[in-house]
Amino acid sequence: MQKILKGATVADKIIDKIKTFSPKRCLGVIKVGADPGSSSYLKGITRTSERAKVKLAVSELPEHATENNIKIAVKKMRDSKGVDGILLMEPFPEVVNVRELIEIVGKDKDVEGIHPYNMGKLLLGEPTIIPSTPGAVLELMNFYKIDPTGLHTVILGRSKVVGKPLANLLLRKNRLGNATVTVCHSKTKNLKDITTTADILIVAMGKAEFVTDEFIQDEVIIIDVGINMKEGSLVGDVDFESVKEKALAITPVPGGVGSITTASLLLNLYKL
Ligand SMILES: NC(=O)c1ccc[n+]([C@@H]2O[C@H](COP(=O)([O-])OP(=O)(O)OC[C@H]3O[C@@H](n4cnc5c(N)ncnc54)[C@H](OP(=O)(O)O)[C@@H]3O)[C@@H](O)[C@H]2O)c1
Protein backbone atom coordinates (compact mmCIF):
# COMPACT_ATOMS: atom_id res chain seq x y z
CA MET A 1 0.00 0.00 0.00
CA GLN A 2 1.24 3.49 -0.72
CA LYS A 3 2.04 5.65 2.27
CA ILE A 4 0.12 8.81 1.37
CA LEU A 5 -3.51 8.06 0.64
CA LYS A 6 -4.45 10.92 -1.67
CA GLY A 7 -8.11 11.77 -2.15
CA ALA A 8 -8.01 13.46 -5.56
CA THR A 9 -7.41 10.21 -7.45
CA VAL A 10 -10.39 8.62 -5.67
CA ALA A 11 -12.59 11.65 -6.39
CA ASP A 12 -11.58 11.69 -10.08
CA LYS A 13 -12.69 8.08 -10.41
CA ILE A 14 -16.08 8.81 -8.82
CA ILE A 15 -16.59 11.92 -10.99
CA ASP A 16 -15.76 9.95 -14.15
CA LYS A 17 -18.39 7.39 -13.10
CA ILE A 18 -21.05 10.07 -12.42
CA LYS A 19 -20.39 11.63 -15.85
CA THR A 20 -21.56 8.44 -17.53
CA PHE A 21 -24.91 8.38 -15.70
CA SER A 22 -28.08 9.38 -17.49
CA PRO A 23 -30.42 11.22 -17.16
CA LYS A 24 -28.51 14.03 -15.48
CA ARG A 25 -29.64 14.85 -11.96
CA CYS A 26 -29.93 18.15 -10.13
CA LEU A 27 -28.65 19.01 -6.66
CA GLY A 28 -30.61 21.63 -4.74
CA VAL A 29 -28.72 23.74 -2.21
CA ILE A 30 -30.21 25.89 0.55
CA LYS A 31 -27.77 28.45 1.91
CA VAL A 32 -28.45 31.21 4.41
CA GLY A 33 -26.09 34.16 4.96
CA ALA A 34 -22.48 34.55 3.95
CA ASP A 35 -20.50 32.23 6.24
CA PRO A 36 -17.02 32.01 4.62
CA GLY A 37 -16.67 28.25 5.29
CA SER A 38 -19.99 27.45 3.67
CA SER A 39 -19.33 29.85 0.76
CA SER A 40 -16.06 28.10 0.00
CA TYR A 41 -17.77 24.68 0.30
CA LEU A 42 -20.37 25.90 -2.22
CA LYS A 43 -17.61 26.98 -4.62
CA GLY A 44 -16.13 23.47 -4.37
CA ILE A 45 -19.56 21.92 -5.01
CA THR A 46 -20.07 24.17 -8.05
CA ARG A 47 -16.69 23.14 -9.52
CA THR A 48 -17.23 19.43 -8.90
CA SER A 49 -20.82 19.54 -10.21
CA GLU A 50 -19.59 21.11 -13.46
CA ARG A 51 -16.96 18.39 -13.83
CA ALA A 52 -19.47 15.64 -13.05
CA LYS A 53 -22.14 17.21 -15.30
CA VAL A 54 -24.58 17.47 -12.42
CA LYS A 55 -27.05 20.36 -12.42
CA LEU A 56 -27.16 22.75 -9.48
CA ALA A 57 -30.10 24.80 -8.13
CA VAL A 58 -29.00 27.13 -5.36
CA SER A 59 -31.42 29.04 -3.15
CA GLU A 60 -29.49 31.70 -1.24
CA LEU A 61 -31.29 33.52 1.57
CA PRO A 62 -30.04 36.58 3.43
CA GLU A 63 -28.55 36.32 6.93
CA HIS A 64 -31.71 37.87 8.44
CA ALA A 65 -34.13 35.39 6.76
CA THR A 66 -36.75 34.16 9.22
CA GLU A 67 -37.23 30.50 10.08
CA ASN A 68 -40.52 30.63 8.19
CA ASN A 69 -38.84 32.03 5.04
CA ILE A 70 -36.24 29.26 5.18
CA LYS A 71 -38.91 26.58 5.63
CA ILE A 72 -40.83 27.95 2.63
CA ALA A 73 -37.64 27.83 0.49
CA VAL A 74 -36.98 24.21 1.53
CA LYS A 75 -40.60 23.19 0.80
CA LYS A 76 -40.47 24.86 -2.60
CA MET A 77 -37.32 22.97 -3.48
CA ARG A 78 -38.69 19.69 -2.16
CA ASP A 79 -41.80 20.06 -4.32
CA SER A 80 -39.81 20.96 -7.43
CA LYS A 81 -39.72 18.08 -9.92
CA GLY A 82 -36.44 19.43 -11.31
CA VAL A 83 -34.53 18.91 -8.03
CA ASP A 84 -33.48 15.38 -7.10
CA GLY A 85 -31.76 15.93 -3.75
CA ILE A 86 -31.37 18.80 -1.27
CA LEU A 87 -28.29 19.89 0.63
CA LEU A 88 -28.88 22.06 3.70
CA MET A 89 -25.73 24.14 4.08
CA GLU A 90 -24.89 24.75 7.70
CA PRO A 91 -24.53 26.97 9.60
CA PHE A 92 -28.13 28.23 9.82
CA PRO A 93 -29.14 31.15 12.05
CA GLU A 94 -29.40 29.96 15.67
CA VAL A 95 -33.20 30.34 15.76
CA VAL A 96 -33.58 27.71 13.03
CA ASN A 97 -34.33 24.13 14.04
CA VAL A 98 -32.27 22.17 11.49
CA ARG A 99 -33.90 18.92 12.54
CA GLU A 100 -37.27 20.32 11.36
CA LEU A 101 -35.72 21.35 8.04
CA ILE A 102 -34.48 17.77 7.53
CA GLU A 103 -38.02 16.52 8.15
CA ILE A 104 -39.27 18.96 5.50
CA VAL A 105 -36.66 17.76 2.99
CA GLY A 106 -38.01 14.24 3.61
CA LYS A 107 -36.32 10.89 3.13
CA ASP A 108 -36.63 10.86 -0.67
CA LYS A 109 -34.60 14.02 -1.31
CA ASP A 110 -32.21 13.51 1.62
CA VAL A 111 -28.96 13.61 -0.37
CA GLU A 112 -26.97 13.97 2.87
CA GLY A 113 -28.34 10.77 4.39
CA ILE A 114 -29.24 12.55 7.61
CA HIS A 115 -33.03 12.02 7.69
CA PRO A 116 -33.97 9.77 10.65
CA TYR A 117 -35.49 7.18 8.27
CA ASN A 118 -32.26 6.88 6.27
CA MET A 119 -30.10 6.95 9.41
CA GLY A 120 -32.31 4.20 10.86
CA LYS A 121 -31.74 2.06 7.79
CA LEU A 122 -28.01 2.68 8.08
CA LEU A 123 -28.12 1.48 11.70
CA LEU A 124 -30.03 -1.63 10.60
CA GLY A 125 -27.33 -2.35 8.01
CA GLU A 126 -29.82 -1.97 5.13
CA PRO A 127 -28.92 -0.32 1.80
CA THR A 128 -29.47 3.42 2.13
CA ILE A 129 -28.03 6.87 1.47
CA ILE A 130 -24.68 7.16 3.22
CA PRO A 131 -23.73 10.60 4.61
CA SER A 132 -21.08 12.11 2.36
CA THR A 133 -18.10 12.17 4.75
CA PRO A 134 -18.43 8.57 5.96
CA GLY A 135 -19.13 7.75 2.30
CA ALA A 136 -15.85 9.42 1.35
CA VAL A 137 -13.98 7.36 3.96
CA LEU A 138 -15.48 4.15 2.54
CA GLU A 139 -14.64 5.20 -1.03
CA LEU A 140 -11.06 5.84 0.07
CA MET A 141 -10.81 2.46 1.80
CA ASN A 142 -12.27 0.76 -1.26
CA PHE A 143 -9.85 2.49 -3.64
CA TYR A 144 -6.74 1.73 -1.58
CA LYS A 145 -7.97 -1.81 -0.81
CA ILE A 146 -8.10 -1.31 2.94
CA ASP A 147 -10.04 -4.29 4.26
CA PRO A 148 -11.20 -3.61 7.83
CA THR A 149 -12.40 -7.18 8.42
CA GLY A 150 -11.57 -8.11 12.01
CA LEU A 151 -9.25 -5.14 12.44
CA HIS A 152 -9.45 -2.96 15.51
CA THR A 153 -10.77 0.26 14.04
CA VAL A 154 -10.78 3.18 16.45
CA ILE A 155 -12.86 6.23 15.61
CA LEU A 156 -12.12 9.47 17.45
CA GLY A 157 -15.38 11.44 17.44
CA ARG A 158 -19.06 10.48 17.75
CA SER A 159 -20.78 13.23 15.75
CA LYS A 160 -24.04 12.59 13.93
CA VAL A 161 -22.47 13.27 10.55
CA VAL A 162 -19.15 11.45 10.87
CA GLY A 163 -18.30 9.25 13.88
CA LYS A 164 -21.66 7.57 14.56
CA PRO A 165 -22.63 6.68 10.99
CA LEU A 166 -19.09 5.57 10.22
CA ALA A 167 -19.01 3.24 13.24
CA ASN A 168 -22.24 1.61 12.08
CA LEU A 169 -21.08 1.33 8.48
CA LEU A 170 -17.86 -0.38 9.51
CA LEU A 171 -19.87 -2.85 11.59
CA ARG A 172 -21.96 -3.98 8.61
CA LYS A 173 -21.55 -7.55 7.47
CA ASN A 174 -20.17 -6.65 4.06
CA ARG A 175 -16.94 -6.05 2.16
CA LEU A 176 -16.03 -2.75 3.79
CA GLY A 177 -17.43 -3.79 7.15
CA ASN A 178 -16.81 -6.49 9.73
CA ALA A 179 -14.43 -4.24 11.64
CA THR A 180 -14.04 -4.41 15.41
CA VAL A 181 -15.02 -0.85 16.20
CA THR A 182 -14.25 1.36 19.20
CA VAL A 183 -15.68 4.88 19.27
CA CYS A 184 -14.00 7.49 21.50
CA HIS A 185 -15.15 10.98 22.49
CA SER A 186 -14.29 13.81 24.83
CA LYS A 187 -15.24 11.81 27.93
CA THR A 188 -13.18 8.75 27.00
CA LYS A 189 -10.65 7.83 29.68
CA ASN A 190 -7.12 6.70 28.86
CA LEU A 191 -7.48 7.63 25.21
CA LYS A 192 -3.90 6.72 24.30
CA ASP A 193 -4.31 3.21 25.74
CA ILE A 194 -7.11 2.68 23.22
CA THR A 195 -5.64 4.44 20.20
CA THR A 196 -2.31 2.60 20.54
CA THR A 197 -4.17 -0.68 19.94
CA ALA A 198 -5.76 0.56 16.69
CA ASP A 199 -4.98 -1.13 13.38
CA ILE A 200 -7.00 1.59 11.65
CA LEU A 201 -7.39 4.99 13.29
CA ILE A 202 -10.07 7.34 11.95
CA VAL A 203 -9.96 10.81 13.42
CA ALA A 204 -12.90 13.26 13.29
CA MET A 205 -12.53 15.52 16.32
CA GLY A 206 -12.10 19.05 15.03
CA LYS A 207 -8.91 19.49 17.11
CA ALA A 208 -5.95 20.68 15.06
CA GLU A 209 -3.01 18.23 15.03
CA PHE A 210 -4.22 16.52 18.22
CA VAL A 211 -3.01 13.02 17.36
CA THR A 212 0.78 12.67 17.62
CA ASP A 213 3.08 9.64 17.45
CA GLU A 214 2.35 8.90 21.14
CA PHE A 215 -1.23 7.97 20.15
CA ILE A 216 -0.36 5.28 17.62
CA GLN A 217 1.29 1.93 17.25
CA ASP A 218 3.62 1.02 14.37
CA GLU A 219 2.00 0.22 11.01
CA VAL A 220 -1.37 1.79 11.78
CA ILE A 221 -3.47 3.12 8.89
CA ILE A 222 -4.61 6.66 9.69
CA ILE A 223 -7.60 8.33 8.09
CA ASP A 224 -7.74 11.98 9.09
CA VAL A 225 -11.17 13.53 8.56
CA GLY A 226 -10.40 16.76 10.43
CA ILE A 227 -10.22 20.12 8.68
CA ASN A 228 -8.94 22.98 10.83
CA MET A 229 -7.38 26.38 10.26
CA LYS A 230 -4.07 26.84 12.04
CA GLU A 231 -1.93 29.91 11.53
CA GLY A 232 -3.58 30.56 8.16
CA SER A 233 -3.17 26.98 6.85
CA LEU A 234 -5.48 23.98 6.67
CA VAL A 235 -4.43 21.13 8.95
CA GLY A 236 -6.02 17.88 10.04
CA ASP A 237 -6.74 16.45 13.48
CA VAL A 238 -3.53 14.46 13.12
CA ASP A 239 -0.01 15.89 13.39
CA PHE A 240 1.13 14.57 10.02
CA GLU A 241 4.86 15.13 10.53
CA SER A 242 4.82 13.47 13.94
CA VAL A 243 3.09 10.25 12.81
CA LYS A 244 4.16 9.79 9.20
CA GLU A 245 7.23 7.59 9.89
CA LYS A 246 5.43 5.24 12.26
CA ALA A 247 2.19 4.88 10.27
CA LEU A 248 1.77 2.37 7.47
CA ALA A 249 -0.38 4.84 5.55
CA ILE A 250 -2.05 8.19 6.16
CA THR A 251 -4.42 10.61 4.43
CA PRO A 252 -3.04 14.16 4.03
CA VAL A 253 -4.95 17.34 4.93
CA PRO A 254 -5.72 19.03 2.65
CA GLY A 255 -5.94 16.51 -0.18
CA GLY A 256 -7.33 13.50 1.66
CA VAL A 257 -10.89 12.66 2.73
CA GLY A 258 -12.07 16.25 2.13
CA SER A 259 -11.29 15.96 -1.59
CA ILE A 260 -13.68 13.01 -1.90
CA THR A 261 -16.63 14.32 0.12
CA THR A 262 -18.29 16.38 -2.62
CA ALA A 263 -17.95 13.60 -5.19
CA SER A 264 -19.50 11.21 -2.66
CA LEU A 265 -22.36 13.69 -2.12
CA LEU A 266 -23.03 13.92 -5.87
CA LEU A 267 -22.96 10.14 -6.17
CA ASN A 268 -25.78 10.06 -3.60
CA LEU A 269 -27.99 11.96 -6.07
CA TYR A 270 -28.01 8.84 -8.21
CA LYS A 271 -28.74 6.55 -5.27
CA LEU A 272 -31.84 8.45 -4.10
N1 LIG B 1 -13.38 15.91 5.35
C1 LIG B 1 -14.64 16.33 5.32
O1 LIG B 1 -15.26 16.34 4.29
C2 LIG B 1 -15.28 16.74 6.60
C3 LIG B 1 -16.66 16.71 6.74
C4 LIG B 1 -17.22 17.00 8.00
C5 LIG B 1 -16.38 17.37 9.05
N2 LIG B 1 -15.04 17.45 8.83
C6 LIG B 1 -14.10 17.83 9.90
O2 LIG B 1 -14.02 16.72 10.79
C7 LIG B 1 -13.83 17.18 12.10
C8 LIG B 1 -14.94 16.64 12.98
O3 LIG B 1 -16.17 17.13 12.50
P1 LIG B 1 -17.53 16.79 13.24
O4 LIG B 1 -18.62 17.54 12.56
O5 LIG B 1 -17.65 15.32 13.39
O6 LIG B 1 -17.21 17.50 14.66
P2 LIG B 1 -18.05 17.59 16.01
O7 LIG B 1 -19.50 17.48 15.75
O8 LIG B 1 -17.52 18.80 16.70
O9 LIG B 1 -17.58 16.29 16.83
C9 LIG B 1 -16.30 16.18 17.34
C10 LIG B 1 -16.19 14.88 18.10
O10 LIG B 1 -14.87 14.79 18.62
C11 LIG B 1 -14.94 14.48 20.01
N3 LIG B 1 -13.82 15.08 20.72
C12 LIG B 1 -13.55 16.40 20.86
N4 LIG B 1 -12.45 16.56 21.64
C13 LIG B 1 -12.04 15.34 21.98
C14 LIG B 1 -10.95 14.86 22.77
N5 LIG B 1 -10.09 15.68 23.35
N6 LIG B 1 -10.81 13.53 22.92
C15 LIG B 1 -11.68 12.67 22.30
N7 LIG B 1 -12.71 13.07 21.55
C16 LIG B 1 -12.88 14.39 21.38
C17 LIG B 1 -16.25 15.07 20.49
O11 LIG B 1 -16.66 14.41 21.67
P3 LIG B 1 -18.07 14.74 22.41
O12 LIG B 1 -19.12 14.08 21.57
O13 LIG B 1 -17.94 14.14 23.74
O14 LIG B 1 -18.19 16.24 22.40
C18 LIG B 1 -17.15 14.80 19.29
O15 LIG B 1 -17.72 13.52 19.35
C19 LIG B 1 -13.79 18.71 12.00
O16 LIG B 1 -12.44 19.12 11.88
C20 LIG B 1 -14.53 19.01 10.72
O17 LIG B 1 -14.10 20.22 10.12
C21 LIG B 1 -14.48 17.14 7.63
Side-chain angles (χ1 to χ4, degrees):
M1 188 189 305
Q2 64 195 72
K3 182 113 184 176
I4 311 297
L5 308 173
K6 292 194 179 150
T9 341
V10 187
D12 287 348
K13 202 174 158 199
I14 300 170
I15 291 166
D16 285 345
K17 185 158 93 178
I18 298 174
K19 265 195 254 176
T20 66
F21 294 155
S22 174
K24 299 298 170 206
R25 298 240 162 127
C26 175
L27 174 70
V29 179
I30 302 280
K31 181 173 179 291
V32 181
D35 173 72
S38 103
S39 299
S40 107
Y41 183 31
L42 183 56
K43 266 190 203 155
I45 290 176
T46 308
R47 268 197 312 269
T48 312
S49 301
E50 279 167 8
R51 285 181 59 206
K53 304 203 186 312
V54 161
K55 289 179 264 180
L56 211 54
V58 182
S59 175
E60 285 197 67
L61 289 96
E63 194 82 55
H64 53 79
T66 64
E67 186 172 30
N68 199 37
N69 285 340
I70 299 170
K71 283 182 174 171
I72 290 169
V74 177
K75 277 185 193 149
K76 198 172 156 202
M77 206 169 249
R78 179 202 57 201
D79 295 338
S80 159
K81 286 208 169 61
V83 172
D84 299 289
I86 299 172
L87 168 68
L88 300 172
M89 290 205 90
E90 299 213 33
F92 283 97
E94 264 176 35
V95 290
V96 174
N97 183 336
V98 181
R99 184 75 172 69
E100 279 178 21
L101 295 185
I102 297 166
E103 294 283 358
I104 295 172
V105 167
K107 66 179 175 55
D108 297 329
K109 292 200 176 178
D110 171 34
V111 73
E112 295 182 271
I114 52 176
H115 188 282
Y117 177 86
N118 291 324
M119 274 283 181
K121 284 182 78 170
L122 189 150
L123 182 65
L124 293 168
E126 292 175 15
T128 187
I129 293 298
I130 296 176
S132 55
T133 306
V137 172
L138 293 188
E139 293 285 353
L140 181 115
M141 291 173 71
N142 184 40
F143 184 90
Y144 289 105
K145 301 190 171 36
I146 299 170
D147 178 2
T149 303
L151 297 185
H152 188 205
T153 304
V154 175
I155 302 174
L156 294 189
R158 58 174 165 181
S159 72
K160 282 181 277 189
V161 285
V162 190
K164 268 188 204 153
L166 198 49
N168 287 288
L169 289 161
L170 291 167
L171 283 173
R172 291 186 302 181
K173 293 184 180 177
N174 68 8
R175 202 169 56 80
L176 289 167
N178 289 312
T180 304
V181 181
T182 303
V183 182
C184 302
H185 46 79
S186 66
K187 304 285 185 288
T188 299
K189 293 208 168 89
N190 307 322
L191 193 62
K192 285 182 190 167
D193 291 347
I194 300 169
T195 55
T196 46
T197 65
D199 302 305
I200 300 175
L201 182 62
I202 305 177
V203 193
M205 302 166 73
K207 294 265 180 290
E209 298 179 330
F210 182 93
V211 173
T212 58
D213 61 344
E214 291 168 23
F215 283 81
I216 60 166
Q217 64 174 336
D218 285 340
E219 306 281 283
V220 62
I221 296 171
I222 302 177
I223 300 176
D224 187 357
V225 179
I227 300 177
N228 313 283
M229 276 309 265
K230 189 181 171 192
E231 292 155 15
S233 305
L234 279 186
V235 297
D237 288 349
V238 178
D239 184 341
F240 187 87
E241 290 304 320
S242 168
V243 303
K244 75 171 184 211
E245 292 308 324
K246 224 167 158 184
L248 177 67
I250 176 167
T251 58
V253 178
V257 176
S259 326
I260 313 170
T261 311
T262 307
S264 151
L265 179 82
L266 297 183
L267 192 58
N268 275 352
L269 270 182
Y270 290 85
K271 294 181 178 165
L272 279 167

